[in-house]
Amino acid sequence: MHPIAEGEPTRDRYERVLVSLSHQHVPHLVDAAIVRYDVDRETVTLVPDPETIDPYVELAALRSRS
């Protein structure tokens, strides 16, 4: 995986990230019971104890660097 230069934040970039999160990433995390999404409040809450998923987050970070 190649690093992507972030550059200056723009409204377009914000909208793309928001759409990606709401249509792709958050639904997968909800299906995996990692987060809970409250539609009325538009909030995402971590379900398990953060220490439970730390090893997976660290592994994902290592994989994204290679």
Side-chain angles (χ1 to χ4, degrees):
M1 180 176 275
H2 299 288
I4 299 172
E6 291 297 321
E8 288 295 315
T10 63
R11 183 71 181 175
D12 182 58
R13 182 171 286 133
Y14 168 81
E15 292 292 333
R16 286 185 298 188
V17 169
L18 183 61
V19 168
S20 179
L21 282 170
S22 61
H23 292 282
Q24 182 179 4
H25 301 292
V26 171
H28 286 297
L29 294 170
V30 169
D31 289 345
I34 295 173
V35 299
R36 185 178 313 117
Y37 178 65
D38 184 324
V39 177
D40 297 328
R41 292 184 177 177
E42 296 184 336
T43 57
V44 177
T45 307
L46 185 62
V47 174
D49 176 9
E51 291 179 11
T52 304
I53 62 169
D54 280 347
Y56 302 104
V57 172
E58 290 172 13
L59 179 61
L62 288 172
R63 291 187 70 192
S64 70
R65 291 183 196 139
S66 58

